[in-house]
């Protein structure tokens, strides 16, 4: 680390995004991206006029996009914050509401970005362990009502959600603590807690266009909450990156959120492919956590998750496994096209059958 | 301010971008944007393939864009940081190198964003006054060698630059204090201090695609400095917004920076229009600060800067004046097309001729 880095960063931990090897073509199922194209509405939205308009600054209030999101989710723009992906929305929220030493909590196994941020900015963070069945233990979050909460719901990489009733308990135990619910994967079969926003002023719901809307490369995310939360976040944004979103992001995002049919079509497609894939994994004897996301989390049988990941990679398929002892045996596979999942399944079968071989090699 | 906003923000001051009224069409010369279109290379760069590729995450290292900038400016990517506009580059630098109470300095009259950030994040900032002729008093920055420095060079809104020799003095007086030079306007006739980067490890040079490259709406900026500075900024970025730039921004930016002929053509065009405009203002008897930027800063004669701005607005022309006593008499006009500047000049003449009338009204 260089001489000039602020002392507070001395033990920062840098977030490591999923690997993106470029040595060959891969079936890329390691980052919960989409194997399906974005809405063709983008093509129409990003036209010559939009490109010419880039000679002027983008709208710092991103009003067109906030209005479009508001129409779909039934909130006024004053309750909507937009940013370059859910990460920027979360970061602006964290910057707005936390400083060194502020108390927050989140699960020990979850989206790693929360810990990376909390550690790097020296928040006082507590990570509550998951139950043995990998569900979130809601009681932990009730027992320390002064600690703010960040929850991915459904959780990642387990794919398991908690109920709205449980989220309400967490919100209600202390209306003066902020609860951020990251719903990156909510559209694949879970109930959003957006319905709670107007009931609880301490709730911020964060969603993204990177999963169910197929455009992680467009970097668009949003947060919805009480007017006062959103207004504070907007003010903090104006102190940091006033023109955070480009004209293209605003125009493309507006077109994407309005592509409602396209959105539902691909959610249903992915749910169907996922269910078939999970049925087939179970038929092969794997323990599968039935997911309500765009990925599947299943447990090793004959070969370790590490071997499975490495062997799949040799066969041109990227998936992920994790280092935490509680989930060390699990593999996370993003749901791609039906064709891709058939290739993955055949590869898994083959690797399992050769399983004994790997065990011998390991000796 | 809401209940949850971090206490440290209680006296934050929100940055106010230049006004963007939409009640009618304006000749918009108030935000130093471009009246010329961006390079047509953007059209080719943002094609169907790029839009389809948005189904995957953008490259968090933005390597293609960093390499392209590196080829033009002769630095390796390891010395280049890219972000959503110079504002994000500055913000990541400030986040990396400063915490509450850190000592920095900048001119009293300069790009207002530095003060907004410093005030909002409670840095210990000192604003040194300009000399009577609106130049920067270099001695101030030598007298307090422990204070980091942020300089817009050329300065905004005065359009006046300091020499590389002066910047070297500021760098040399204490190699352990960081000097950030914001060269947003450097391409219109000034020498960049990029030539000093490999000599001084305490120098960070920030540039933008929003001025001389005609694309403020694309949100692209970059910083160049010693490897250790850039590596720290990249690490901090990975803790905040790992995938900060969209695939479109990376592809468009790469195409833009490679459009060297286009770039030089419009710089020369703007310099020629500016010189003619300034000659004509002088011929009308105005005191003009001969600029090396894409704007002109001139002093009122018969009517106040406030009246001039308001009267131009009535005539469909947006320009800016500022509230600080030392420059209260000045008007800043962005250089647009030759046709636009002729309209502005005619309007200024007309307003001046009616000048006595406004004085009477004011009584």
């Amino acid at each position: 680390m260089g001489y000039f880095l602020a002392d507070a960063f001395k033990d920062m931990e840098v977030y490591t995004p999923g690997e993106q090897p470029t040595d060959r073509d891969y079936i890329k199922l390691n980052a919960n991206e989409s194997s399906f194209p974005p809405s063709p509405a983008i093509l129409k939205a990003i036209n010559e006029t939009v490109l010419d308009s880039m000679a002027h600054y983008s709208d710092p209030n991103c009003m067109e996009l906030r209005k479009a999101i508001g129409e779909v989710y039934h909130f006024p723009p004053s309750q909507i914050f937009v940013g370059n992906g859910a990460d920027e929305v979360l970061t602006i929220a964290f910057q707005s509401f936390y400083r060194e030493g502020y108390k927050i909590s989140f699960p020990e196994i979850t989206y790693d970005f929360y810990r990376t941020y909390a550690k790097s900015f020296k928040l006082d963070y507590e990570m509550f362990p998951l139950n043995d069945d990998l569900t979130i233990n809601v009681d932990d979050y009730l027992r320390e009502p002064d600690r703010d909460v960040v929850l991915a719901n459904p959780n990642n990489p387990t794919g398991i959600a908690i109920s709205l009733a449980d989220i309400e308990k967490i919100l209600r135990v202390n209306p003066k603590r902020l609860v951020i619910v990251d719903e990156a994967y909510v559209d694949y079969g879970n109930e959003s807690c957006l319905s709670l926003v107007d009931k609880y002023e301490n709730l911020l719901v964060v969603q993204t266009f990177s999963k169910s809307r197929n455009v992680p490369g467009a970097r668009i995310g949003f947060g919805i909450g009480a007017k006062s939360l959103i207004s504070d976040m907007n003010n903090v944004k104006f102190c940091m990156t006033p023109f955070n979103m480009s004209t293209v992001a605003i125009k493309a995002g507006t077109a994407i959120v309005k592509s409602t049919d396209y959105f539902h079509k691909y959610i249903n497609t992915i749910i169907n492919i996922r269910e078939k894939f999970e049925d087939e994994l179970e038929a092969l004897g794997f323990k599968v956590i039935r997911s309500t996301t765009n990925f599947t989390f299943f447990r090793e049988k004959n070969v370790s998750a590490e071997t499975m990941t490495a062997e799949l990679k040799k066969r041109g398929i990227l998936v992920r496994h994790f280092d935490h002892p509680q989930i060390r045996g699990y593999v996370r596979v993003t749901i791609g096209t039906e064709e891709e999942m058939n290739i993955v399944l055949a590869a898994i079968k083959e690797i399992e059958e050769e399983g004994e071989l790997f065990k011998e090699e390991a000796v």
Side-chain angles (χ1 to χ4, degrees), chain A:
Chain A
M1 293 193 171
Y3 175 82
F4 295 103
L5 189 71
D7 283 341
F9 272 130
K10 293 294 178 198
D11 9 85
M12 90 172 161
E13 191 169 320
V14 177
Y15 174 76
T16 320
E19 74 173 335
Q20 301 194 41
T22 51
D23 55 325
R24 57 170 285 189
D25 275 343
Y26 286 99
I27 297 181
K28 200 167 172 305
L29 305 174
N30 64 332
N32 300 341
E33 295 158 313
S34 174
S35 292
F36 298 99
S39 165
I42 295 184
L43 278 173
K44 275 189 213 155
I46 307 181
N47 53 30
E48 208 162 326
T49 316
V50 169
L51 297 178
D52 279 351
S53 78
M54 294 209 288
H56 289 280
Y57 278 95
S58 49
D59 171 16
N61 289 307
C62 311
M63 206 37 95
E64 188 181 353
L65 178 55
R66 288 162 73 193
K67 275 187 188 157
I69 293 172
E71 273 163 31
V72 171
Y73 293 97
H74 310 294
F75 286 94
S78 57
Q79 290 190 257
I80 300 171
F81 181 91
V82 293
N84 291 299
D87 288 346
E88 192 185 46
V89 178
L90 288 166
T91 288
I92 297 284
F94 293 166
Q95 289 275 326
S96 302
F97 307 124
Y98 306 130
R99 276 288 190 284
E100 196 171 320
Y102 276 47
K103 287 174 189 301
I104 71 161
S105 59
F106 42 82
E108 200 176 280
I109 295 173
T110 191
Y111 181 33
D112 205 36
F113 181 68
Y114 316 144
R115 194 182 52 85
T116 305
Y117 184 96
K119 190 171 180 197
S120 300
F121 285 88
K122 289 186 176 292
L123 311 189
D124 170 357
Y125 62 101
E126 177 136 3
M127 302 191 295
F128 292 118
L130 297 184
N131 294 319
D132 287 345
D133 62 357
L134 303 184
T135 55
I136 284 171
N137 182 358
V138 175
D139 288 340
D140 287 335
Y141 302 86
L142 303 177
R143 230 180 25 241
E144 289 206 37
D146 287 337
R147 225 168 242 289
D148 281 9
V149 177
V150 185
L151 287 179
N153 199 43
N155 198 11
N156 171 19
T158 63
I160 302 172
I162 59 172
S163 69
L164 255 62
D166 279 339
I167 288 177
E168 279 205 82
K169 276 190 213 161
I170 294 171
L171 286 160
R172 237 187 252 144
V173 69
N174 177 7
K176 293 291 184 198
R177 70 128 163 228
L178 183 64
V179 178
I180 299 176
V181 182
D182 178 350
E183 297 192 331
Y185 299 100
V186 79
D187 293 324
Y188 298 101
N190 271 286
E191 207 182 340
S192 166
C193 60
L194 281 173
S195 57
L196 304 178
V197 160
D198 282 341
K199 213 168 149 190
Y200 298 97
E201 294 209 352
N202 57 333
L203 171 62
L204 179 70
V205 181
V206 177
Q207 292 198 8
T208 177
F209 284 25
S210 299
K211 307 298 175 189
S212 54
R213 294 189 186 274
N214 297 5
V215 284
R219 312 308 304 125
I220 304 171
F222 61 95
I224 297 186
K227 262 189 197 174
S228 60
L229 284 179
I230 299 303
S231 148
D232 283 343
M233 285 173 66
N234 257 322
N235 285 341
V236 170
K237 183 195 90 161
F238 271 91
C239 297
M240 298 181 71
T241 49
F243 301 88
N244 63 329
M245 298 195 82
S246 73
T247 305
V248 167
I250 292 170
K251 294 282 179 190
T254 302
I256 291 163
V257 77
K258 286 182 174 173
S259 299
T260 313
D261 291 347
Y262 194 88
F263 170 67
H264 290 298
K265 179 183 155 192
Y266 280 106
I267 284 174
N268 289 330
T269 303
I270 283 169
I271 291 175
N272 290 335
I273 298 172
R274 182 190 71 211
E275 288 182 351
K276 190 163 162 258
F277 180 68
E278 291 181 345
D279 288 346
E280 284 169 333
L281 280 177
E282 282 179 348
L284 288 175
F286 286 99
K287 186 189 164 188
V288 178
I289 297 183
R290 300 299 297 211
S291 162
T292 50
T293 65
N294 72 338
F295 57 83
T296 285
F297 204 50
F298 70 94
R299 195 165 179 175
E300 58 161 313
K301 242 174 36 176
N302 286 330
V303 304
S304 71
E306 209 175 341
T307 301
M308 179 61 78
T309 305
E311 287 297 317
L312 284 172
K313 188 173 174 187
K314 278 188 203 162
R315 289 161 175 81
I317 300 162
L318 299 178
V319 301
R320 271 187 87 173
H321 70 101
F322 299 84
D323 209 29
H324 189 283
Q326 207 177 350
I327 54 168
R328 198 164 281 150
Y330 284 83
V331 176
R332 193 189 73 184
V333 188
T334 306
I335 302 302
T337 63
E338 195 159 1
E339 198 192 351
E340 286 173 336
M341 299 326 281
N342 287 337
I343 296 171
V344 173
L345 213 62
I348 289 175
K349 248 189 245 183
E350 192 182 280
I351 294 163
E352 276 294 311
E353 280 159 15
E354 293 170 9
E356 293 305 313
L357 208 69
F358 299 121
K359 278 187 190 159
E360 279 163 32
E361 273 175 20
V363 173

